[in-house]
Amino acid sequence: MIEMRGVNKWFGQFHVLKDIDLRVSKGERIVICGPSGSGKSTLIRCINRLEVHQSGRIAVDGTELTGDLKHIERIRSEVGMVFQHFNLFPHLTVLENCALALVWVRKMPRREAEFVAMRYLDRVHIPEQAAKYPGQLSGGQQQRVAIARSLCMSPRVMLFDEPTSALDPEMIKEVLDVMIELAQEGMTMLVVTHEMGFARTVADRVIFMDDGEIVEEAAPDVFFTRPRSERTKLFLSQILR
Amino acid sequence: MQGNPVSGVSRPRLARAGPLGWVWENLLSSPLNAVLTLLLACLLYLAIPPVLQWVFIDADWLGDGPEACTGGGACWVFVRVRLYQFLYGFYPEDQVWRVNLGFGILIALLLPLLVERVPSKRRIAAFLLLLYPVIGFVLFYGGAFGLPVVETAKWGGLMLTLVLSGIGIVGALPGGVLLALGRRSQMPVVKAVCVAFIELWRGVPLITVLFMASVMLPLFLPEGVSFDKLLRALIGIILFQSAYVAEVVRGGLQAIPRGQYEAAEALGLGYWRSMGLIILPQALKLVIPGIVNTLIALFKDTTLVLIIGLFDLLAVVQAAFTDPKWLGYALEGYLFAALVYWAFCFGMSRYSQHLERKLHTGHRED
């Protein structure tokens, strides 16, 4: 589904991604963790080209990401992304947020698009908020709307960029619950998160990144109980208390 | 709370009700305030009655010549007699219904757009932008459907002011938005062209632009080619003001968080849809005060066309009181002009406030 080979990226002099190799097959759930500045967000942002990689090869579903705008827009419409700060459109209602891309990218008639949007709002358990504006919702509700907005496009892959780290503690669960349901339905997911409980229950593979490199890659039970690298051990000792 | 009151702390003052209470609280709350209030009251007493006396009580309203003005106050007869010129300039009187009809249609189209939610808003807007300019041109200028041509040299007064500022606004807004987007473009050539354009036009006074358009431009055009003076002034105003609008809009674009651009991109919306659906609606809403400021300035700056020989409202008023018959009534003329300009500008300002309230959708995220 996703294939990255020898991907390198620099921000100016700073080498953010060093020779990344990663294959994700259909239906896989991958959790990426690591200290801040390790390049984990940049890695998943390269997959829908919010960041441009400078060397190496990235292909999504067989389509390679190059400068070709047509390819980029097609891949973007098939890869859903959920951001740390939700990034809902504050001037549109919840329903309009969700239906927007269906109408303008998929060319669906408005009524049909709103019907689809309602279905996904129902799936993230907030159909009753459809007519409100994002500014009137809590953080957890906003993030669930953001998930519904991505799901409306029926993406083949969902990318989550620290979806719970901007939330108040009591709202984290409602978002994680939605993500777990999504995983159970077989969605291919790449999740950057520090929620190790989520990684344990949902992930097929956990990837640990540090300093722009993939340091360790293992099934969650192995990753948490018998990490091989010293850096992983140090990181786990710091976040698991 | 402890039960025993602390001595020396004054009891909370009782809230006084009614206008007297208001006066006590706001105007006389301390000795200094009381003195200031009294001083100001004296000033107002000295200033206001004479003005009212001049404007209303001693003023002359009826009659048809300067000889009717004997009261010693304002001579509104002057404005009344010259009102036709103030409104229409030298537009032939038997054709003036065309101007009235043109503005009548415009108001009829604008009102439903501005005031209430009407179902077919989009169609009205399309009609206004695509068909109305043709209708307006045919009505005002003529030359079709048996309407005799009225040269633009005969247009004047408030009508000319409104034509200049209306077309100026309609042209400068989209121009400014495009320039602002261009200035933030990733494409180096587009960006360079937009920066150069904005800095060039912003760097020269409007009066120079108008002068160039009316005096210099004809020198460069080949023999026999000439185009309308009003049109030249309009192009000058639109280019000049679009540079200003562009900088205001750019401020709004910069205020939109990067996450909004990214979310739009991540959904697969291309550049123009991202801008049109996500970024611009938010950015423009943010800069409504700045844009309206620019538009009000544009409206008043149209008075500068006076120097290239177009007779807008102010120019007509000035021409009227230099008429030997009406010498000495400049004050009345200027007051009338000021009142008209103020009414339009205040209207724009109020409408923009209404718009800001209407578009407010709760606090922003981030």
Side-chain angles (χ1 to χ4, degrees), chain A residues 120-145:
Chain A
Y120 284 104
L121 285 175
D122 205 35
R123 225 168 105 178
V124 300
H125 317 300
I126 37 174
E128 71 281 1
Q129 311 286 1
K132 288 194 183 164
Y133 286 96
Q136 297 166 302
L137 305 186
S138 74
Q141 290 172 322
Q142 289 194 43
Q143 192 61 297
R144 285 187 282 150
V145 172

mmCIF file of all heavy atoms in Angstrom, chain A residues 120-145:
data_model
loop_
_atom_site.group_PDB
_atom_site.id
_atom_site.type_symbol
_atom_site.label_atom_id
_atom_site.label_comp_id
_atom_site.label_asym_id
_atom_site.label_seq_id
_atom_site.Cartn_x
_atom_site.Cartn_y
_atom_site.Cartn_z
ATOM 1 N N TYR A 120 -20.968 9.517 8.353
ATOM 2 C CA TYR A 120 -19.687 9.418 9.062
ATOM 3 C C TYR A 120 -19.710 10.158 10.398
ATOM 4 O O TYR A 120 -19.052 9.754 11.347
ATOM 5 C CB TYR A 120 -18.540 9.903 8.170
ATOM 6 C CG TYR A 120 -18.184 8.871 7.135
ATOM 7 C CD1 TYR A 120 -18.570 9.016 5.811
ATOM 8 C CD2 TYR A 120 -17.496 7.719 7.501
ATOM 9 C CE1 TYR A 120 -18.279 8.047 4.872
ATOM 10 C CE2 TYR A 120 -17.206 6.739 6.570
ATOM 11 C CZ TYR A 120 -17.585 6.911 5.252
ATOM 12 O OH TYR A 120 -17.307 5.945 4.349
ATOM 13 N N LEU A 121 -20.492 11.248 10.466
ATOM 14 C CA LEU A 121 -20.636 11.919 11.763
ATOM 15 C C LEU A 121 -21.305 10.973 12.751
ATOM 16 O O LEU A 121 -20.969 10.949 13.939
ATOM 17 C CB LEU A 121 -21.457 13.199 11.605
ATOM 18 C CG LEU A 121 -20.716 14.368 10.968
ATOM 19 C CD1 LEU A 121 -21.651 15.542 10.740
ATOM 20 C CD2 LEU A 121 -19.545 14.798 11.848
ATOM 21 N N ASP A 122 -22.236 10.183 12.232
ATOM 22 C CA ASP A 122 -22.890 9.183 13.045
ATOM 23 C C ASP A 122 -21.868 8.163 13.542
ATOM 24 O O ASP A 122 -21.891 7.738 14.690
ATOM 25 C CB ASP A 122 -23.940 8.494 12.169
ATOM 26 C CG ASP A 122 -25.050 7.912 13.006
ATOM 27 O OD1 ASP A 122 -25.384 8.539 14.023
ATOM 28 O OD2 ASP A 122 -25.560 6.838 12.649
ATOM 29 N N ARG A 123 -20.931 7.812 12.674
ATOM 30 C CA ARG A 123 -19.944 6.805 13.033
ATOM 31 C C ARG A 123 -18.985 7.293 14.108
ATOM 32 O O ARG A 123 -18.457 6.506 14.881
ATOM 33 C CB ARG A 123 -19.163 6.416 11.786
ATOM 34 C CG ARG A 123 -19.002 4.925 11.695
ATOM 35 C CD ARG A 123 -18.495 4.535 10.366
ATOM 36 N NE ARG A 123 -17.091 4.171 10.439
ATOM 37 C CZ ARG A 123 -16.418 3.742 9.398
ATOM 38 N NH1 ARG A 123 -16.997 3.650 8.221
ATOM 39 N NH2 ARG A 123 -15.153 3.416 9.523
ATOM 40 N N VAL A 124 -18.710 8.612 14.137
ATOM 41 C CA VAL A 124 -17.850 9.121 15.213
ATOM 42 C C VAL A 124 -18.689 9.645 16.376
ATOM 43 O O VAL A 124 -18.199 10.356 17.240
ATOM 44 C CB VAL A 124 -16.871 10.212 14.710
ATOM 45 C CG1 VAL A 124 -15.965 9.648 13.638
ATOM 46 C CG2 VAL A 124 -17.626 11.423 14.197
ATOM 47 N N HIS A 125 -19.981 9.287 16.370
ATOM 48 C CA HIS A 125 -20.904 9.526 17.478
ATOM 49 C C HIS A 125 -21.209 10.985 17.764
ATOM 50 O O HIS A 125 -21.404 11.359 18.915
ATOM 51 C CB HIS A 125 -20.362 8.873 18.776
ATOM 52 C CG HIS A 125 -19.815 7.502 18.563
ATOM 53 N ND1 HIS A 125 -20.588 6.477 18.070
ATOM 54 C CD2 HIS A 125 -18.568 6.990 18.722
ATOM 55 C CE1 HIS A 125 -19.848 5.395 17.949
ATOM 56 N NE2 HIS A 125 -18.614 5.682 18.328
ATOM 57 N N ILE A 126 -21.232 11.856 16.743
ATOM 58 C CA ILE A 126 -21.679 13.225 17.020
ATOM 59 C C ILE A 126 -22.611 13.750 15.941
ATOM 60 O O ILE A 126 -22.461 14.905 15.493
ATOM 61 C CB ILE A 126 -20.513 14.224 17.197
ATOM 62 C CG1 ILE A 126 -19.387 13.881 16.244
ATOM 63 C CG2 ILE A 126 -20.064 14.318 18.609
ATOM 64 C CD1 ILE A 126 -18.296 14.915 16.294
ATOM 65 N N PRO A 127 -23.601 12.951 15.494
ATOM 66 C CA PRO A 127 -24.494 13.484 14.456
ATOM 67 C C PRO A 127 -25.249 14.715 14.927
ATOM 68 O O PRO A 127 -25.597 15.573 14.121
ATOM 69 C CB PRO A 127 -25.457 12.312 14.192
ATOM 70 C CG PRO A 127 -25.405 11.482 15.427
ATOM 71 C CD PRO A 127 -24.009 11.623 15.949
ATOM 72 N N GLU A 128 -25.462 14.843 16.254
ATOM 73 C CA GLU A 128 -26.281 15.957 16.745
ATOM 74 C C GLU A 128 -25.555 17.293 16.666
ATOM 75 O O GLU A 128 -26.156 18.340 16.848
ATOM 76 C CB GLU A 128 -26.758 15.668 18.180
ATOM 77 C CG GLU A 128 -25.674 15.740 19.256
ATOM 78 C CD GLU A 128 -24.804 14.492 19.317
ATOM 79 O OE1 GLU A 128 -25.022 13.561 18.501
ATOM 80 O OE2 GLU A 128 -23.883 14.449 20.156
ATOM 81 N N GLN A 129 -24.245 17.278 16.380
ATOM 82 C CA GLN A 129 -23.496 18.539 16.312
ATOM 83 C C GLN A 129 -23.396 19.080 14.880
ATOM 84 O O GLN A 129 -22.727 20.099 14.651
ATOM 85 C CB GLN A 129 -22.071 18.355 16.850
ATOM 86 C CG GLN A 129 -21.984 17.660 18.189
ATOM 87 C CD GLN A 129 -22.422 18.547 19.321
ATOM 88 O OE1 GLN A 129 -22.807 19.695 19.108
ATOM 89 N NE2 GLN A 129 -22.388 18.037 20.530
ATOM 90 N N ALA A 130 -24.037 18.424 13.928
ATOM 91 C CA ALA A 130 -23.810 18.717 12.505
ATOM 92 C C ALA A 130 -23.978 20.190 12.132
ATOM 93 O O ALA A 130 -23.245 20.710 11.312
ATOM 94 C CB ALA A 130 -24.723 17.858 11.643
ATOM 95 N N ALA A 131 -24.931 20.871 12.772
ATOM 96 C CA ALA A 131 -25.220 22.241 12.351
ATOM 97 C C ALA A 131 -24.367 23.274 13.074
ATOM 98 O O ALA A 131 -24.432 24.456 12.775
ATOM 99 C CB ALA A 131 -26.704 22.540 12.567
ATOM 100 N N LYS A 132 -23.539 22.829 14.022
ATOM 101 C CA LYS A 132 -22.743 23.795 14.784
ATOM 102 C C LYS A 132 -21.457 24.159 14.047
ATOM 103 O O LYS A 132 -21.039 23.470 13.127
ATOM 104 C CB LYS A 132 -22.387 23.196 16.144
ATOM 105 C CG LYS A 132 -23.562 23.118 17.096
ATOM 106 C CD LYS A 132 -23.066 22.837 18.498
ATOM 107 C CE LYS A 132 -24.242 22.690 19.459
ATOM 108 N NZ LYS A 132 -23.819 22.056 20.702
ATOM 109 N N TYR A 133 -20.828 25.226 14.532
ATOM 110 C CA TYR A 133 -19.518 25.603 14.002
ATOM 111 C C TYR A 133 -18.439 24.993 14.884
ATOM 112 O O TYR A 133 -18.662 24.791 16.088
ATOM 113 C CB TYR A 133 -19.370 27.118 13.964
ATOM 114 C CG TYR A 133 -20.165 27.749 12.850
ATOM 115 C CD1 TYR A 133 -21.427 28.270 13.082
ATOM 116 C CD2 TYR A 133 -19.650 27.783 11.548
ATOM 117 C CE1 TYR A 133 -22.166 28.815 12.050
ATOM 118 C CE2 TYR A 133 -20.380 28.335 10.516
ATOM 119 C CZ TYR A 133 -21.643 28.852 10.769
ATOM 120 O OH TYR A 133 -22.359 29.382 9.749
ATOM 121 N N PRO A 134 -17.258 24.686 14.302
ATOM 122 C CA PRO A 134 -16.193 24.042 15.089
ATOM 123 C C PRO A 134 -15.880 24.776 16.382
ATOM 124 O O PRO A 134 -15.611 24.136 17.397
ATOM 125 C CB PRO A 134 -15.002 24.071 14.139
ATOM 126 C CG PRO A 134 -15.595 24.073 12.780
ATOM 127 C CD PRO A 134 -16.870 24.851 12.894
ATOM 128 N N GLY A 135 -15.935 26.116 16.356
ATOM 129 C CA GLY A 135 -15.611 26.883 17.553
ATOM 130 C C GLY A 135 -16.533 26.610 18.729
ATOM 131 O O GLY A 135 -16.226 26.968 19.859
ATOM 132 N N GLN A 136 -17.688 25.983 18.451
ATOM 133 C CA GLN A 136 -18.645 25.719 19.530
ATOM 134 C C GLN A 136 -18.464 24.330 20.139
ATOM 135 O O GLN A 136 -19.195 23.957 21.042
ATOM 136 C CB GLN A 136 -20.071 25.846 18.986
ATOM 137 C CG GLN A 136 -20.387 27.250 18.484
ATOM 138 C CD GLN A 136 -21.648 27.295 17.653
ATOM 139 O OE1 GLN A 136 -21.754 26.607 16.640
ATOM 140 N NE2 GLN A 136 -22.602 28.099 18.066
ATOM 141 N N LEU A 137 -17.497 23.550 19.621
ATOM 142 C CA LEU A 137 -17.317 22.178 20.099
ATOM 143 C C LEU A 137 -16.102 22.075 21.012
ATOM 144 O O LEU A 137 -15.200 22.896 20.977
ATOM 145 C CB LEU A 137 -17.114 21.224 18.912
ATOM 146 C CG LEU A 137 -18.178 21.211 17.821
ATOM 147 C CD1 LEU A 137 -17.865 20.116 16.826
ATOM 148 C CD2 LEU A 137 -19.554 21.017 18.412
ATOM 149 N N SER A 138 -16.082 20.987 21.803
ATOM 150 C CA SER A 138 -14.909 20.716 22.634
ATOM 151 C C SER A 138 -13.803 20.137 21.758
ATOM 152 O O SER A 138 -14.037 19.744 20.613
ATOM 153 C CB SER A 138 -15.274 19.715 23.716
ATOM 154 O OG SER A 138 -15.395 18.425 23.148
ATOM 155 N N GLY A 139 -12.591 20.096 22.296
ATOM 156 C CA GLY A 139 -11.463 19.572 21.533
ATOM 157 C C GLY A 139 -11.692 18.154 21.040
ATOM 158 O O GLY A 139 -11.435 17.833 19.880
ATOM 159 N N GLY A 140 -12.190 17.308 21.938
ATOM 160 C CA GLY A 140 -12.420 15.918 21.559
ATOM 161 C C GLY A 140 -13.437 15.800 20.443
ATOM 162 O O GLY A 140 -13.261 15.023 19.497
ATOM 163 N N GLN A 141 -14.501 16.610 20.552
ATOM 164 C CA GLN A 141 -15.517 16.593 19.489
ATOM 165 C C GLN A 141 -14.934 17.076 18.173
ATOM 166 O O GLN A 141 -15.183 16.506 17.116
ATOM 167 C CB GLN A 141 -16.699 17.476 19.893
ATOM 168 C CG GLN A 141 -17.514 16.896 21.039
ATOM 169 C CD GLN A 141 -18.554 17.878 21.538
ATOM 170 O OE1 GLN A 141 -18.313 19.083 21.606
ATOM 171 N NE2 GLN A 141 -19.714 17.365 21.906
ATOM 172 N N GLN A 142 -14.114 18.132 18.262
ATOM 173 C CA GLN A 142 -13.515 18.658 17.030
ATOM 174 C C GLN A 142 -12.636 17.611 16.364
ATOM 175 O O GLN A 142 -12.647 17.458 15.142
ATOM 176 C CB GLN A 142 -12.669 19.899 17.340
ATOM 177 C CG GLN A 142 -13.487 21.108 17.717
ATOM 178 C CD GLN A 142 -12.661 22.382 17.674
ATOM 179 O OE1 GLN A 142 -11.887 22.606 16.751
ATOM 180 N NE2 GLN A 142 -12.809 23.231 18.662
ATOM 181 N N GLN A 143 -11.871 16.890 17.174
ATOM 182 C CA GLN A 143 -10.986 15.905 16.568
ATOM 183 C C GLN A 143 -11.799 14.782 15.931
ATOM 184 O O GLN A 143 -11.423 14.254 14.890
ATOM 185 C CB GLN A 143 -9.997 15.362 17.615
ATOM 186 C CG GLN A 143 -8.860 14.551 17.045
ATOM 187 C CD GLN A 143 -7.981 15.349 16.091
ATOM 188 O OE1 GLN A 143 -8.440 15.799 15.048
ATOM 189 N NE2 GLN A 143 -6.720 15.523 16.434
ATOM 190 N N ARG A 144 -12.935 14.429 16.553
ATOM 191 C CA ARG A 144 -13.754 13.382 15.946
ATOM 192 C C ARG A 144 -14.364 13.873 14.641
ATOM 193 O O ARG A 144 -14.487 13.113 13.677
ATOM 194 C CB ARG A 144 -14.836 12.930 16.927
ATOM 195 C CG ARG A 144 -14.236 12.049 18.027
ATOM 196 C CD ARG A 144 -15.298 11.460 18.891
ATOM 197 N NE ARG A 144 -15.813 12.424 19.856
ATOM 198 C CZ ARG A 144 -17.065 12.397 20.324
ATOM 199 N NH1 ARG A 144 -17.904 11.488 19.909
ATOM 200 N NH2 ARG A 144 -17.439 13.295 21.205
ATOM 201 N N VAL A 145 -14.732 15.174 14.587
ATOM 202 C CA VAL A 145 -15.214 15.725 13.322
ATOM 203 C C VAL A 145 -14.105 15.643 12.273
ATOM 204 O O VAL A 145 -14.334 15.271 11.123
ATOM 205 C CB VAL A 145 -15.668 17.190 13.480
ATOM 206 C CG1 VAL A 145 -15.982 17.799 12.124
ATOM 207 C CG2 VAL A 145 -16.869 17.282 14.397
#
